[in-house]
Amino acid sequence: MFYQYNHLGSPDYLKIEKNENFSFPPHLHQCFEIIIILSGEMKITVDGKLFVLEKNEALLIFPNQIHELESTSSKHILCIFSPRLVQAYTTKLTDKIPISNKFCPDDYLICALEKLDAASSSADKKGVLYSLCGQFHKQSEYIAKKTDRDKLLHKIFAFVEENFCEDCSLLSLSKETGYDYSYLSRHFKKIVGISFNTYVTHYRLSYACYLMENTEQTILQCAYNSGFTSLRNFNRCFKDHLKITPTQYLRNLKAR
């Protein structure tokens, strides 16, 4: 599965998916995101803080918080939704983020969330999401955002999204943002925890996986359409990061 960073397509945007044994590299977007663990264990890092979630535990990730998911033995519900679906909550906390993103939703709210989908009425969406945010709010404390950092990181992630198929280098990013090349490199590594080049590779691999799962493109086409310049480089990066070859990955998809 591949997440884009422009989730705010409509005021009632909502995406709910169930998945298992799921990992995704550091990223951010402009929506709220709720992750609820149904079984097993998942490690989630939010703005550099590690959370280990078990059954019936959840995170509410705020817009523009950097988060990374890692799991080899879990099932979960993931919900991404527009801040405008919970406008009163969003407005109240415009300049704040939670000290801890972790909370424990009631079973009836987990069931209610599972029943929602994009076709649900706006009233149904708002009812469930406001209830979840309200439950989170009762368990949480907040601190002020570091807005300058958030703005620069959002520019960096947006640049990768727009340019990952072409020239997506730090030099090009420096020209685009007006920031010094070396400063961008240090800043990104300090906040995100990996180098900019490693992140670009993760992004391209994630998009390649998305293409393999959702299109009929060949492995070679998926590689080139994800920004890799050669099949050899794609195969090497894929094996290094996902621990299996693209052919094995595609075979596993077809065996589901």
Side-chain angles (χ1 to χ4, degrees):
M1 182 170 58
F2 173 76
Y3 300 152
Q4 295 181 333
Y5 303 116
N6 55 349
H7 288 303
L8 280 177
S10 63
D12 62 346
Y13 180 88
L14 174 73
K15 184 174 184 178
I16 299 176
E17 295 184 354
K18 284 186 177 181
N19 216 320
E20 57 183 278
N21 305 335
F22 179 68
S23 298
F24 197 81
H27 64 289
L28 58 77
H29 47 67
Q30 297 182 39
C31 284
F32 284 100
E33 182 171 332
I34 294 176
I35 303 167
I36 302 174
I37 305 304
L38 301 177
S39 67
E41 178 183 284
M42 177 180 284
K43 295 179 181 178
I44 304 175
T45 302
V46 182
D47 285 346
K49 185 181 296 184
L50 175 64
F51 298 90
V52 180
L53 298 189
E54 298 179 345
K55 183 178 180 180
N56 293 337
E57 294 182 328
L59 286 189
L60 175 60
I61 299 166
F62 275 41
N64 295 323
Q65 284 197 292
I66 301 169
H67 50 291
E68 176 182 8
L69 289 67
E70 181 182 353
S71 175
T72 57
S73 60
S74 69
K75 293 183 180 180
H76 70 272
I77 303 171
L78 184 143
C79 175
I80 300 173
F81 60 96
S82 167
R84 285 175 283 182
L85 280 171
V86 289
Q87 187 63 55
Y89 182 70
T90 300
T91 301
K92 184 177 182 178
L93 297 169
T94 299
D95 298 319
K96 293 182 171 60
I97 54 173
I99 293 175
S100 172
N101 298 80
K102 188 174 180 178
F103 74 117
C104 295
D106 291 337
D107 289 342
Y108 77 90
L109 285 179
I110 297 176
C111 292
L113 183 63
E114 288 187 83
K115 293 177 182 178
L116 287 183
D117 58 34
S120 299
S121 70
S122 180
D124 287 339
K125 293 177 183 177
K126 289 181 179 180
V128 175
L129 295 173
Y130 263 118
S131 295
L132 284 164
C133 289
Q135 194 166 75
F136 174 82
H137 188 66
K138 290 179 181 178
Q139 303 175 29
S140 300
E141 297 181 20
Y142 303 89
I143 57 175
K145 284 182 180 178
K146 298 178 180 179
T147 54
D148 290 341
R149 186 205 69 174
D150 291 340
K151 288 178 181 178
L152 177 55
L153 284 171
H154 184 70
K155 286 182 180 179
I156 295 173
F157 280 97
F159 174 84
V160 174
E161 181 185 7
E162 294 170 4
N163 296 280
F164 72 96
C165 282
E166 302 170 0
D167 180 12
C168 197
S169 65
L170 265 173
L171 182 60
S172 296
L173 175 63
S174 177
K175 292 178 181 178
E176 177 76 16
T177 61
Y179 283 87
D180 177 72
Y181 173 101
S182 298
Y183 172 79
L184 287 171
S185 178
R186 293 193 304 270
H187 180 78
F188 191 88
K189 180 67 178 292
K190 178 180 178 181
I191 302 301
V192 180
I194 59 175
S195 70
F196 176 79
N197 289 337
T198 298
Y199 177 76
V200 172
T201 298
H202 283 174
Y203 194 105
R204 287 170 170 165
L205 288 171
S206 296
Y207 190 68
C209 290
Y210 170 80
L211 292 177
M212 284 192 280
E213 185 169 354
N214 293 280
T215 74
E216 297 299 322
Q217 295 182 25
T218 66
I219 290 176
L220 179 61
Q221 289 172 324
C222 290
Y224 285 142
N225 290 334
S226 301
F228 290 93
T229 56
S230 73
L231 184 59
R232 181 179 180 181
N233 184 41
F234 174 65
N235 286 335
R236 179 181 57 78
C237 290
F238 201 100
K239 182 68 178 295
D240 286 347
H241 291 276
L242 279 77
K243 308 307 179 187
I244 60 174
T245 67
T247 301
Q248 290 171 322
Y249 182 87
L250 196 57
R251 189 180 302 127
N252 291 344
L253 287 175
K254 292 178 179 178
R256 286 182 182 178

